[in-house]
Amino acid sequence: MSQPVSMSGPRPGRCRVCDADVVEFLDLGAQPLSDAFLTPKDIGHEFFYRLAVGRCTGCTMVQLMEEVPRERMFHAEYPYHSSGSSVMREHFAATARRFLDTELAGTEDPFVVELGCNDGVMLKTVHEAGVRHLGFEPSGSVGRLAAESGVRVREAFFEESSAADLRRREGAADVIYAANTLCHIPYMDSVLRGVDALLAADGVFVFEDPYLGDIVERTSFDQIYDEHFFFFTARSVRAMARRAGLELVGVERLPVHGGEVRYTLARAGSRQPSPAVAELLAEEEARGLADPRTLDAFAERVARHRDELVALLRRLRAEGRTVAAYGATAKSATVTNYCGIGTESVSFVSDSTPAKQDRLSPGMHLPVVPPEVFAKARPDYALLFAWNHAEEIMRKEEDFAREGGRWILYVPEVRVV
Ligand code: SAH
Ligand code: TYD
Ligand code: ZN
């Protein structure tokens, strides 16, 4: 029997950038919402979707096969606080200073717009400099924190209509910025039309997200979860930009969150691309980052790392060791649910975020506790879910290692340190 065909809205298996076929290369199974930390009454009512990822046969963009409706993920109880890491606070303060001192120097009455400003970690510095700004933040929980520090916030999703509305009311933006947010947005066509409506003639659209090159190199498969819809490369971003009348004029590799790239887009012909763009494109070509065989080999390593991690936890349990986890990250939803890590192998997860504490992790229901509980419990091993903050956390928890505790890492390899 034939299915009714809808001419509007996305078709499954079609690229959300160029509409060509997307070929799946990795299936991580049924997964819950990665940031949905539960209270006991939520048990039995969790939302699951199929987490699988594929590569576009047209523009090479790597993307999820299935999309979770945005209101399920970003809402008044969204628990992720960007300011929870001192390294990230410094990273975003430096980013703001660079916009103010370099990009915007000499611009009269500049205007900075951010997508996904979260608790204001970046815009706070822009506000303190007295520069006109606005943050789009659909999640009221974190947007409120930004507003409390003086940042101007609009509780809305950035898309074509909200961007065009802002342009009418407040004029063009000189910098449009998004950190760890553009990759969260499947409706890319609408966002790019919004950027086109809002961006000044000589403005820049700057965004930074986890880099597919680092994910493949480090087998960091836990970067794949509901909120991370796209996995960018210079090549796929360049193709995406061209479709929107924009040009990729800058790339910069960043060490944060396990390896990211900051892309700078400008209106086509308005700026000279930096040599770093051609260099990164050539490096991606040499590595075969757009080659299906590279992605198939990645998928094989993912399964191997899962087997190694499961075997390690099983052995520690058989030896009677106690194991806790550290960092109730969104990423860890993928690890725990894909590997089947429940309370029989990990007794709890320590996390400093009040909105996650005293709740249960999505899917596998590990209790989330404050760091003081971790310090008192003194487990033999701690599985580091927030491996991207390893240095900061290991420094903070140096007593744990001094007293004989060992860290378990699974990126880039499963190992005990
Ligand atoms: N920029 C911060 C926050 C990243 S989390 C950082 O790098 O730490 C992603 C944020 O994007 C969330 O706060 C979420 O509510 C927001 N978001 C999701 N879709 C959005 C959209 N269409 N427009 C603006 N913000 C969005
Ligand atoms: P993060 O890795 O930044 O993002 P995601 O949720 O997108 O995977 O999340 C880090 C988590 O770890 C966050 O819940 C806060 C927590 N955390 C601590 O508990 N202690 C710390 O010292 C740091 C840096 C983070
Ligand atoms: Zn495509």
Side-chain angles (χ1 to χ4, degrees):
M1 227 166 59
S2 67
Q3 296 288 314
V5 175
S6 158
M7 297 312 288
S8 63
R11 289 172 289 169
R14 292 285 175 158
C15 177
R16 294 302 309 263
V17 174
C18 79
D19 204 41
D21 285 335
V22 176
V23 176
E24 183 174 319
F25 61 83
L26 175 64
D27 181 358
L28 294 164
Q31 292 278 345
L33 301 172
S34 61
D35 264 317
F37 291 86
L38 319 182
T39 59
K41 71 168 171 37
D42 300 323
I43 293 176
H45 308 286
E46 277 180 274
F47 174 87
F48 284 85
Y49 68 102
R50 190 175 81 93
L51 180 61
V53 54
R55 170 190 168 280
C56 174
T57 53
C59 71
T60 76
M61 183 69 82
V62 170
Q63 57 200 280
L64 297 192
M65 302 303 295
E66 206 175 287
E67 170 183 348
V68 171
R70 61 189 189 178
E71 288 79 7
R72 283 194 181 270
M73 298 185 282
F74 310 116
H75 46 65
E77 286 187 57
Y78 183 65
Y80 181 72
H81 291 200
S82 300
S83 295
S85 148
S86 62
V87 171
M88 295 312 299
R89 286 197 297 276
E90 186 40 50
H91 170 78
F92 287 120
T95 301
R97 284 196 297 270
R98 198 155 100 190
F99 287 145
L100 296 168
D101 298 345
T102 316
E103 187 57 43
L104 298 172
T107 306
E108 206 181 312
D109 187 24
F111 186 29
V112 177
V113 173
E114 186 177 14
L115 284 64
C117 70
N118 199 274
D119 58 11
V121 68
M122 194 287 288
L123 283 181
K124 201 153 67 116
T125 304
V126 176
H127 158 68
E128 283 160 6
V131 166
R132 217 152 50 86
H133 64 275
L134 183 79
F136 281 87
E137 182 44 76
S139 298
S141 48
V142 290
R144 200 168 317 116
L145 299 173
E148 279 166 15
S149 59
V151 168
R152 269 188 78 218
V153 185
R154 178 161 301 173
E155 192 177 317
F157 289 97
F158 184 96
E159 58 193 327
E160 185 177 13
S161 56
S162 55
D165 177 70
L166 179 63
R167 169 71 194 242
R168 274 191 301 275
R169 290 167 195 269
E170 303 190 25
D174 302 290
V175 169
I176 302 178
Y177 176 66
N180 308 297
T181 297
L182 200 67
C183 75
H184 291 50
I185 308 183
Y187 39 101
M188 188 60 86
D189 49 342
S190 173
V191 165
L192 292 176
R193 285 196 301 270
V195 168
D196 186 39
L198 184 61
L199 193 67
D202 58 352
V204 283
F205 176 33
V206 181
F207 56 93
E208 59 196 60
D209 290 284
Y211 178 48
L212 183 68
D214 288 308
I215 295 171
V216 167
E217 186 178 321
R218 300 176 188 191
T219 319
S220 44
F221 67 91
D222 57 347
Q223 292 284 13
I224 303 166
Y225 56 93
D226 54 352
E227 295 173 25
H228 285 178
F229 188 85
F230 288 115
F231 302 89
F232 299 134
T233 61
R235 176 165 169 180
S236 62
V237 166
R238 181 179 62 168
M240 178 177 95
R242 280 183 177 159
R243 299 179 63 86
L246 298 166
E247 191 174 358
L248 178 61
V249 297
V251 289
E252 186 187 346
R253 295 189 74 155
L254 305 172
V256 296
H257 289 312
E260 302 205 323
V261 170
R262 176 179 290 166
Y263 305 92
T264 301
L265 272 47
R267 292 192 186 276
S270 71
R271 293 196 184 207
Q272 186 67 31
S274 113
V277 174
E279 283 164 22
L280 189 58
L281 286 165
E283 186 185 318
E284 291 176 358
E285 183 65 33
R287 286 182 55 191
L289 209 49
D291 187 332
R293 287 169 301 185
T294 304
L295 299 171
D296 290 339
F298 165 74
E300 282 165 24
R301 289 198 302 281
V302 171
R304 180 156 55 75
H305 288 203
R306 172 198 56 195
D307 295 345
E308 288 175 16
L309 181 59
V310 168
L312 171 64
L313 294 174
R314 193 170 296 144
R315 176 167 69 75
L316 294 176
R317 198 166 86 212
E319 291 171 359
R321 312 284 181 192
T322 52
V323 183
Y326 207 99
T329 55
K331 292 184 284 293
S332 66
T334 298
V335 178
T336 54
N337 288 279
Y338 175 61
C339 301
I341 299 171
T343 47
E344 73 295 335
S345 27
V346 167
S347 37
F348 60 82
V349 192
S350 167
D351 197 284
S352 57
T353 316
K356 297 180 183 179
Q357 291 165 359
D358 302 322
R359 293 193 171 227
L360 302 169
S361 73
M364 295 310 292
H365 305 168
L366 304 173
V368 182
V369 303
E372 302 78 63
V373 173
F374 174 79
K376 276 215 199 80
R378 297 174 183 238
D380 299 320
Y381 291 81
L383 178 56
L384 187 54
F385 285 150
W387 54 266
N388 47 312
H389 301 295
E391 238 175 79
E392 180 175 349
I393 289 174
M394 288 179 182
R395 209 182 313 124
K396 195 180 288 179
E397 299 292 352
E398 58 183 9
D399 286 352
F400 168 67
R402 202 180 16 246
E403 288 162 16
R406 315 273 308 266
W407 293 100
I408 301 172
L409 290 156
Y410 48 87
V411 173
E413 296 283 345
V414 176
R415 66 195 200 282
V416 174
V417 298

